[in-house]
Amino acid sequence: MGSDLVPAEAPGTPAVRPSAKPVARTSAQPAAKSPAEPVANSLARTPARTPAKPSGRHAAKRPPRKAPALVKPLVKPLVKPLVKPLVKPLALVTALLSAVTLVLLATVSGCSSHDAHSVPFGPTAPMPQVARQPVGPSDGTGYYRVAQEPSGRWMLRTPDGRPFYSLGVDAVRLDEATDQATGRCPYCEAAAAAYPDPGAWVAATGGRLSNMGFNTLGPGSRFEVFGAQFAYTPQLDLSVGGPADWFDPAFATHAQEVLRARTARLAEDPNLLGWYLDGTLRWDVGLLDEYLALPEGSPGREAASAYRGDPSGFLESLASHYFEVTTRLLREFDPHHLILGVRASSATPPEVVRVAGRYVDVFSVDADREELPDLQALHDLTGRPVLVSAFTVRAGDAGLPNTRPEALPTVDTQEERGDRYAEFAAAMIADPWVVGHNWGRYVDDPPGGAAAPGGDSNVGLVGVDDQPWAALVLRVAGANAAAADRR
């Protein structure tokens, strides 16, 4: 990239996407001293360019107290000879410290004044690698854990032993989807115009998410570039690319190879909250017929033969085999971190849910329908706490087709999106068996549809132009603040 990478808007132009209609403050919106207030100042692409406006209790400063008229003439001749010799040295020290700070900031962000506009954006962009911070001495175990409190409430605990409710966002990444209609990456282009280098994107994005109240990066995120700022939950995809027959020993061999490659660098990282074994897997009664149709002598066909006419029994057997193999192997490679399950569909049969509870630490489920799944029923079936691994709502005022995925709920405006988030978040935070929830994506799908997996919906906190949906994120910040009671 050349030196033409400049901000998309002129200085002083608001970097916040306007809502479809003016929003009047209501009792449901954050009050002046709400934790949502910092979000308004973090919505700009580069926060440093937008001075924070005073609000709430910082809006008005008490005027300086004046000395009595008789005291000032007496004090000034005594103080001035003492202070004047110190002014120049102090100014020099201040200037030196400022220069050092600027150099350090440039180093951390991965750029200097000579190469600030030379780093490319997109799938090939080199991202700054940030060292993970070790956890200090504490009453914790050194890793995230989960336990049921004496009150009956389930609670995550941080590596140093503090209560933790996970507020996550999936797919927080700079190398976003290509538009299948144009072959371009609109988000990559917007980021290139807004930030001098990927390090600046990391700083701005991390600040935005923190100000919205999020503390966890979900699957698909570039967690390694954010250092210790967030917990993170990678997805292993143990079944992807492996044999269709899970009873075949080749499945265990494939899972072992994936685990060896994926866990080597992370098995000792205290910032890793836990692993998802896979994304949403298919669990239905039709699997019995498919296994019975496997070639003669295959392990899966032999296993299925014992369940002819009993598809539910076969599902339970298949789930038992899958979870036993994957969790046993994961524990061999990483004995420390939580196992978060497979991001089950809300339509997962109860026999599979029940089996999963015997092997996972937390049962994860995607809220992929109009309403939240019955989270208490999932807890009762598994005996484990529940993590809602993805939910989202799209709005018609975003100008996107909103046709894929088909099942996602759709409302009219961003204000309604925010209301739906607040409604779902309040329910989950209040449930004693829920330990966290994730918003589905950080960035919207491109207008022409993503080349993979093909979504064309308003699923993000920001659009492909990197502008936050202001009415949504302000409600998100206020709703997330309620999780403080769970910490």
Side-chain angles (χ1 to χ4, degrees):
M1 289 293 176
S3 59
D4 59 337
L5 291 184
V6 295
E9 64 274 304
T13 302
V16 179
R17 180 197 312 278
S19 302
K21 57 185 180 181
V23 183
R25 179 176 293 279
T26 66
S27 58
Q29 293 175 308
K33 296 184 181 180
S34 164
E37 280 186 353
V39 179
N41 291 326
S42 73
L43 296 181
R45 286 170 172 166
T46 47
R49 296 178 192 152
T50 306
K53 295 181 180 180
S55 60
R57 63 187 177 89
H58 301 290
K61 294 186 178 181
R62 180 180 298 174
R65 183 176 296 172
K66 296 182 179 180
L70 294 176
V71 173
K72 189 174 180 180
L74 298 176
V75 173
K76 187 174 181 181
L78 297 175
V79 174
K80 188 174 181 180
L82 297 175
V83 173
K84 189 173 182 180
L86 299 176
V87 170
K88 284 191 176 181
L90 286 173
L92 290 172
V93 171
T94 301
L96 180 61
L97 288 175
S98 299
V100 171
T101 301
L102 289 172
V103 171
L104 289 175
L105 287 173
T107 304
V108 170
S109 65
C111 68
S112 70
S113 59
H114 298 290
D115 64 3
H117 299 293
S118 62
V119 183
F121 283 75
T124 60
M127 297 294 285
Q129 301 297 304
V130 183
R132 317 297 289 179
Q133 298 298 317
V135 174
S138 67
D139 59 352
T141 64
Y143 300 96
Y144 282 91
R145 59 188 173 88
V146 67
Q148 193 168 22
E149 305 290 310
S151 64
R153 181 183 291 276
W154 286 92
M155 185 68 70
L156 290 167
R157 293 276 173 177
T158 62
D160 57 0
R162 292 175 288 109
F164 185 82
Y165 183 88
S166 179
L167 294 160
V169 180
D170 296 346
V172 181
R173 55 190 308 117
L174 180 55
D175 46 333
E176 258 298 335
T178 300
D179 190 313
Q180 62 183 356
T182 65
R184 298 165 59 184
C185 174
Y187 184 71
C188 304
E189 295 172 3
Y195 307 105
D197 61 67
W201 174 87
V202 170
T205 302
R208 282 177 173 177
L209 293 174
S210 293
N211 283 329
M212 292 181 213
F214 291 108
N215 54 29
T216 305
L217 302 178
S221 299
R222 292 293 300 271
F223 58 84
E224 69 276 12
V225 304
F226 287 92
Q229 186 175 1
F230 300 99
Y232 64 97
T233 52
Q235 184 172 297
L236 290 164
D237 292 324
L238 295 179
S239 68
V240 176
D245 182 357
W246 288 346
F247 290 98
D248 190 324
F251 173 68
T253 301
H254 170 76
Q256 196 169 33
E257 292 172 355
V258 173
L259 287 165
R260 182 176 289 110
R262 295 292 307 278
T263 64
R265 295 182 299 106
L266 306 177
E268 305 294 326
D269 189 350
N271 298 293
L272 195 163
L273 192 156
W275 298 100
Y276 293 104
L277 300 169
D278 262 302
T280 301
L281 297 174
R282 179 188 165 198
W283 303 104
D284 61 65
V285 293
L287 287 171
L288 175 58
D289 291 337
E290 293 187 16
Y291 269 77
L292 288 172
L294 289 171
E296 193 77 37
S298 61
R301 178 166 177 167
E302 291 183 8
S305 297
Y307 292 94
R308 290 182 184 276
D310 183 11
S312 177
F314 177 69
L315 264 185
E316 186 171 348
S317 174
L318 181 63
S320 295
H321 184 77
Y322 169 86
F323 283 106
E324 189 280 325
V325 169
T326 55
T327 58
R328 171 174 49 81
L329 291 175
L330 177 53
R331 282 285 172 250
E332 290 177 8
F333 284 91
D334 181 357
H336 305 300
H337 295 104
L338 297 173
I339 298 177
L340 306 177
V342 294
R343 302 183 61 186
S345 163
S346 57
T348 303
E351 51 266 50
V352 175
V353 174
R354 190 179 300 109
V355 165
R358 301 202 297 262
Y359 296 95
V360 302
D361 298 303
V362 176
F363 185 84
S364 58
V365 60
D366 282 0
D368 47 9
R369 296 293 185 271
E370 185 72 27
E371 301 295 334
L372 285 174
D374 188 339
L375 303 178
Q376 181 176 3
L378 296 175
H379 168 260
D380 292 344
L381 282 169
T382 60
R384 308 304 304 161
V386 177
L387 174 66
V388 176
S389 42
F391 80 100
T392 191
V393 182
R394 55 196 177 186
D397 66 355
L400 291 167
N402 286 338
T403 61
R404 301 186 303 273
E406 295 179 4
L408 289 181
T410 305
V411 293
D412 292 332
T413 68
Q414 299 302 317
E415 289 83 355
E416 291 176 86
R417 274 184 98 198
D419 290 342
R420 184 68 66 90
Y421 181 93
E423 175 190 345
F424 280 12
M428 292 182 283
I429 291 169
D431 283 345
W433 40 80
V434 177
V435 294
H437 65 261
N438 284 19
W439 180 257
R441 290 186 68 83
Y442 179 61
V443 181
D444 282 341
D445 294 324
D456 61 5
S457 293
N458 170 220
V459 291
L461 297 167
V462 305
V464 293
D465 57 359
D466 192 51
Q467 294 301 299
W469 295 104
L472 168 68
V473 301
L474 288 172
R475 292 289 280 137
V476 165
N480 286 351
D485 293 339
R486 294 287 303 272
R487 299 175 191 167

